[in-house]
Amino acid sequence: MKKLAKVLGFLGVAAITLTSCNQQGQSSNGSTGSGATGEVSISDLKIAYVLTDSVISKFDFYKEKSEEITEKGKKIRK
């Protein structure tokens, strides 16, 4: 259960990071250039598939920080 919480937390942080860094195509007023109606055409939508198991297993930074957070948690519980 704790592992699931860590994975979901990591995915949440990754999603926020990726969406905040994806500023391409946006104007300064926040609209996506689709006009005043705010409609989005189907051709503008993109789908991405991420194999989270491979990302987590090959991402050393995640492993290191996960261990640090686990150690901090153990110290707090004591």
Side-chain angles (χ1 to χ4, degrees):
M1 192 66 168
K2 293 179 184 179
K3 198 174 232 185
L4 176 64
K6 287 181 185 180
V7 170
L8 291 176
F10 173 75
L11 291 176
V13 170
I16 291 170
T17 303
L18 292 174
T19 56
S20 66
C21 293
N22 187 12
Q23 299 296 325
Q24 181 182 13
Q26 292 186 355
S27 63
S28 61
N29 63 2
S31 68
T32 59
S34 61
T37 61
E39 296 178 4
V40 176
S41 68
I42 302 256
S43 63
D44 291 340
L45 300 177
K46 297 177 183 176
I47 297 175
Y49 296 96
V50 177
L51 301 173
T52 55
D53 294 337
S54 346
V55 171
I56 291 173
S57 68
K58 295 179 182 177
F59 197 38
D60 295 329
F61 180 76
Y62 170 76
K63 290 179 184 178
E64 293 171 4
K65 293 301 175 183
S66 178
E67 290 172 4
E68 287 179 17
I69 291 171
T70 304
E71 290 299 319
K72 285 183 182 179
K74 288 179 183 177
K75 288 180 183 177
I76 290 172
R77 286 185 187 154
K78 288 181 182 179

